[in-house]
Amino acid sequence: DSNWNSSDCLVIWGYMETVDDGELLYAVSSNNTISILGLSPSVGNVELIIPSYIEGNEVVQIVREAFMNESRLISVEIPNTIYEIQSKTFMGTVNLVALTFEEYSQIHSIGVSAFEDSGLESIVIPHSVNQIGDSAFKDTNSLASVIFEQHSQLLSIGRYTFKASGLEGIVIPASVTGIGLDAFRGTE
């Protein structure tokens, strides 16, 4: 039936409902958790603070490609209820200059191309991150500073992770056991 989604709403299988709260689009699962889908079409440029809870339901993920090529994002704070930055989540966010993680972050991985071609200028990687995926910060021309929190658990940095970024220097945590091919190619 061609009328099953006559309002042309975003449909996420396995979720009870999708909601547009005027700032964020999100889905509510059958176990009452929240997945962030992206920005509301009605919001302008935004310095976004993603909440840990929405209407009493825990925010547990930002879906893959949620903010890909989103030009309205200026800055983002990630709550400590999120466990990973999925692939291409912030890819192409050219106006995103700042991203921070809430205190006691539990992020364990930064996915493939998560911030590729974004406008990030600096980032502090939480100590809980144990892997950074291929091309995660590739072509982030403005990225001059990457700092790893004390007691970093980082084990691996993927291929092309910082390729052609604006990175001027970096201190690799002692915990790192693997760095992928050309991870820093084309940096200063």
Side-chain angles (χ1 to χ4, degrees):
D1 181 5
S2 64
N3 294 321
W4 76 272
N5 186 15
S6 61
S7 61
D8 201 28
C9 293
L10 179 63
V11 175
I12 304 293
W13 301 111
Y15 290 95
M16 296 182 347
E17 68 176 317
T18 56
V19 178
D20 180 343
D21 71 3
E23 183 173 62
L24 284 171
L25 297 173
Y26 61 89
V28 182
S29 73
S30 57
N31 66 352
N32 295 318
T33 59
I34 303 287
S35 295
I36 302 298
L37 307 175
L39 285 182
S40 169
S42 62
V43 73
N45 289 349
V46 63
E47 295 181 2
L48 182 64
I49 298 174
I50 299 173
S52 298
Y53 291 86
I54 297 175
E55 296 184 9
N57 299 314
E58 187 174 30
V59 176
V60 296
Q61 74 169 334
I62 304 169
V63 300
R64 179 186 169 126
E65 301 178 7
F67 299 106
M68 188 168 140
N69 297 322
E70 181 55 72
S71 63
R72 297 173 293 165
L73 277 180
I74 307 302
S75 66
V76 177
E77 181 178 300
I78 306 291
N80 60 19
T81 54
I82 303 285
Y83 290 90
E84 73 176 306
I85 303 295
Q86 294 191 37
S87 296
K88 301 180 182 179
T89 300
F90 296 98
M91 182 179 188
T93 52
V94 295
N95 295 319
L96 178 65
V97 295
L99 184 125
T100 57
F101 296 92
E102 186 178 29
E103 190 174 14
Y104 308 116
S105 175
Q106 299 180 66
I107 295 285
H108 61 79
S109 67
I110 296 174
V112 172
S113 299
F115 298 99
E116 184 176 340
D117 197 28
S118 73
L120 282 180
E121 296 175 353
S122 66
I123 191 167
V124 176
I125 307 286
H127 76 278
S128 56
V129 172
N130 57 40
Q131 72 175 33
I132 300 175
D134 294 349
S135 303
F137 297 95
K138 181 181 172 196
D139 295 326
T140 52
N141 301 324
S142 300
L143 185 65
S145 171
V146 174
I147 297 172
F148 296 94
E149 282 184 343
Q150 206 170 22
H151 309 295
S152 175
Q153 298 171 19
L154 186 66
L155 298 174
S156 66
I157 296 172
R159 296 176 309 143
Y160 315 113
T161 297
F162 297 102
K163 182 179 178 185
S165 69
L167 200 58
E168 296 172 359
I170 191 168
V171 176
I172 305 292
S175 57
V176 172
T177 58
I179 297 176
L181 176 72
D182 291 336
F184 299 95
R185 185 178 188 157
T187 59
E188 294 294 317

